[in-house]
Amino acid sequence: MQKLHELLRMGDLAAFVGIVDDGGFAESARRRGVSASTLSRSVTRLEAQLKVTLLRRTTRSIEITPEGAAVLAEAREILDRSETLQEIATSGQAPAGPLRVNAPVPYVLHVLAPRLAEFHAQYPDIQLSIDMTDALVDLIGSHADVAIRLGRVPDSEMLRRPLGRTAWKLVATPAYLDRTGWPETPADLAELKQVRFAAPDHINTLRFAGLADPVPVPPAVTAGNGEAVRQMVLGGLGIARFSDFMIAEDLRAGRLVELFAGQLDAEPLDISALYLTRVSGLRRLGVFLDWLGTISIG
C-alpha cells in the first residue's frame, strides 16, 4: 500500500478520520460546517490514490473495510505528528487553535462559565469548544482533547491532572424550613421531603457521623439533572445534598442554608482533568490545564 505520508492532501486524511469518528458523512459535515458532498469527494480521492475501498456507504450508515481500518490507524498517527510539528514550529507564538473540552453540566455552569472570560483574555487565539456530559467519554470518539470528571476515575490510558476536591453539603431554603420546621437533629430530617437525583442513587443516601444507619427522608420529586434538582430545592420543594461548588453562591447569598454542617458522612469527590498522551504536548492544552489549576476548588 502506498505510504500515507506521500499523499498530497492532509485535509482528505482529516476528513476520513472525522467521518469514521462521527459515524457518518452527515454528522461529520455538520460538525465541520461543510457539505457532505465535500467530504465524499475527499474519501473518493483517498480511495483512488490508495486503490482500495475505505468505506462501504449506504443511505443510512457507513461501514469501514479492513483496508480502511488499517488506513485509519496510520492516518491518526500522521495527523497527530503533523499537529505536534506545527506546535513546535510555532513555539515562539501565543498558543492558538481549537481545544475541545468535555465536562459535567454543573461544573461548566458553576466553575468554568463564570471564569472563561479570563482564559479568553489571556489566550484569545485558542478556540474553545465545550460539550457537557456526565458520563466518562471516549476522548477520540467525542472529539475531546480534555475531559473534566468528578469522583473516582477508572484506570485507563488517559493521563490525569488533579484539580481539587469538592465536599458534599445538605441544604434547603430558609422559607422551606420555616414552613416545615427546622430540624434539631439529623433524625428530624425524616419529617421533611427530599429532592432526589435519578442517578447515581447513592447521592440520595444521607448518612451522618454517629448514626449507624442513614436517615430515611421521603421523596418529593426525582430528577435526572443536577441543575434541575438545584432549581427545585431553590423553589422550596425539599432538601438535597450537592457538591459544594454547585451551591456556594446560593449559600453566600442566603438563598440556601446548610443543614448539620460537618456532620454529613460523605466522602469528598476528586476533580480531575483527563487527557491522552497523544495530545499532552500541545501548548494550548498545557496552558488550559495550568489555568484550570488556578480556578480549582477544594
Side-chain angles (χ1 to χ4, degrees):
M1 183 182 293
Q2 180 182 353
K3 292 285 188 180
L4 283 185
H5 59 70
E6 295 175 4
L7 295 174
L8 299 178
R9 295 177 179 266
M10 293 290 288
D12 290 348
L13 286 178
F16 170 57
V17 172
I19 291 163
V20 175
D21 288 345
D22 292 329
F25 286 84
E27 176 62 17
S28 191
R30 184 189 68 79
R31 284 179 177 267
R32 290 168 172 268
V34 300
S35 67
S37 60
T38 296
L39 297 182
S40 180
R41 285 193 293 271
S42 289
V43 174
T44 298
R45 276 193 297 267
L46 279 180
E47 291 178 328
Q49 288 173 298
L50 292 170
K51 298 181 175 56
V52 296
T53 299
L54 302 175
L55 299 172
R56 296 190 183 95
R57 301 168 234 186
T58 70
T59 56
R60 294 182 177 274
S61 65
I62 62 169
E63 179 185 353
I64 191 166
T65 66
E67 294 81 6
V71 170
L72 180 68
E74 191 170 347
R76 289 196 197 280
E77 292 184 12
I78 290 171
L79 292 171
D80 290 342
R81 288 199 300 270
S82 175
E83 190 164 20
T84 301
L85 288 173
Q86 185 177 12
E87 288 281 330
I88 294 172
T90 59
S91 60
Q93 304 172 17
L99 188 68
R100 298 166 295 271
V101 181
N102 188 284
V105 175
Y107 189 88
V108 172
L109 295 181
H110 296 284
V111 181
L112 279 186
R115 305 286 298 274
L116 274 179
E118 302 170 17
F119 181 80
H120 183 69
Q122 285 182 264
Y123 304 103
D125 296 324
I126 296 178
Q127 296 95 46
L128 280 176
S129 175
I130 299 177
D131 289 326
M132 294 182 285
T133 57
D134 292 324
L136 188 64
V137 298
D138 171 11
L139 292 185
I140 294 176
S142 67
H143 298 268
D145 296 308
V146 57
I148 298 168
R149 286 295 169 264
L150 309 180
R152 182 181 174 276
V153 177
D155 293 335
S156 72
E157 64 180 0
M158 290 183 284
L159 299 177
R160 174 180 177 272
R161 181 177 294 195
L163 298 176
R165 306 187 88 197
T166 178
W168 293 98
K169 291 184 178 179
L170 181 66
V171 298
T173 63
Y176 174 76
L177 297 175
D178 287 341
R179 187 171 73 248
T180 60
W182 289 67
E184 296 183 3
T185 69
D188 295 336
L189 294 172
E191 303 301 317
L192 306 181
K193 295 286 187 178
Q194 183 181 24
V195 183
R196 292 187 176 177
F197 292 81
D201 186 63
H202 70 80
I203 298 178
N204 305 313
T205 302
L206 303 180
R207 296 183 178 275
F208 294 88
L211 295 181
D213 298 313
V215 177
V217 183
V221 66
T222 299
N225 178 277
E227 274 305 300
V229 173
R230 174 176 165 271
Q231 290 296 330
M232 291 174 189
V233 172
L234 286 169
L237 271 176
I239 66 173
R241 87 181 213 198
F242 297 95
S243 299
D244 56 6
F245 68 81
M246 284 187 67
I247 40 83
E249 289 298 324
D250 297 321
L251 290 172
R252 279 191 283 269
R255 293 185 292 267
L256 296 174
V257 293
E258 185 178 4
L259 297 169
F260 307 111
Q263 298 183 51
L264 191 63
D265 185 6
E267 186 70 18
L269 293 177
D270 292 325
I271 305 175
S272 307
L274 307 176
Y275 53 101
L276 291 171
T277 303
R278 68 184 184 91
V279 297
S280 61
L282 296 182
R283 289 193 304 130
R284 59 182 177 271
L285 174 59
V287 297
F288 182 71
L289 291 173
D290 291 342
W291 177 77
L292 282 178
T294 68
I295 66 167
S296 62
I297 57 180

